[in-house]
Amino acid sequence: MAARNTAAETGQQVLEILARDGKTIVTAESCTGGLIAAALTDIPGASQAFYGGYVVYANAAKTRLIGVQPRLIRDYGAVSNQVARAMADGARNTAHADFAVAVTGIAGPEGGSEKKPVGLVYVAVSSELGTVVIEHKFGDLGRDAIRKASVQAALDLVLQVLTSDEA
């Protein structure tokens, strides 16, 4: 069984594909608090494809900075498929980037419920072809581990979207 890529390796692949194709990516992060942007900008040459990032931790920031409709947050909660999709679409449209990756979730240790437990994370990738949202249930691994797993999941989904477009 092949070893799984690290966030750095996946991020490198993502940036290489984007730079080769002359495309840009923007991030919209809630529970990861900028860790996806940090993972990408840790890679030399990231400026060829990384446009920038939004850390939209508060619900008001999601609404004001990237245009998430307050009714989506009210009706579905900030941690939902619908809000993750709106975050990705809103960031891509606001930044005029080619791709956006968004993450919203419950990293804990508090904040979970029976319906939305600690470790529930939604990752979304938006492009001109549409938006893909994946739900992850990482379990109560601890805050740091959930955030790291979320970064990896986000970069994995971006790479999946980029390579599926090539096929």
Side-chain angles (χ1 to χ4, degrees):
M1 186 162 134
R4 190 155 187 241
N5 281 353
T6 65
E9 292 165 336
T10 307
Q12 180 77 43
Q13 290 176 286
V14 163
L15 290 173
E16 285 173 1
I17 292 168
L18 290 168
R20 178 196 72 203
D21 295 344
K23 303 289 185 184
T24 57
I25 190 165
V26 63
T27 59
E29 304 182 61
S30 188
C31 66
T32 50
L35 293 174
I36 300 167
L40 290 171
T41 58
D42 278 348
I43 299 164
S47 62
Q48 292 180 23
F50 182 70
Y51 180 84
Y54 299 95
V55 176
V56 288
Y57 206 74
N59 291 342
K62 291 172 181 66
T63 298
R64 289 186 197 136
L65 296 177
I66 56 175
V68 174
Q69 294 298 311
R71 70 173 171 71
L72 289 177
I73 296 169
R74 182 185 63 244
D75 293 351
Y76 301 102
V79 179
S80 63
N81 177 308
Q82 295 84 352
V83 169
R85 178 180 303 277
M87 287 171 62
D89 291 342
R92 186 171 69 85
N93 292 331
T94 301
H96 304 286
D98 298 296
F99 293 88
V101 60
V103 176
T104 183
I106 304 168
E110 290 89 33
S113 68
E114 194 172 319
K115 278 185 145 178
K116 294 185 179 184
V118 169
L120 176 65
V121 175
Y122 291 90
V123 178
V125 174
S126 175
S127 74
E128 64 183 4
L129 299 177
T131 305
V132 178
V133 183
I134 303 291
E135 177 186 273
H136 295 275
K137 293 180 179 173
F138 294 119
D140 193 358
L141 306 171
R143 185 173 180 82
D144 289 344
I146 291 167
R147 287 166 37 108
K148 285 179 184 165
S150 298
V151 170
Q152 185 67 58
L155 294 172
D156 286 344
L157 184 57
V158 173
L159 184 60
Q160 182 182 332
V161 167
L162 290 174
T163 54
S164 70
D165 289 351
E166 293 177 346

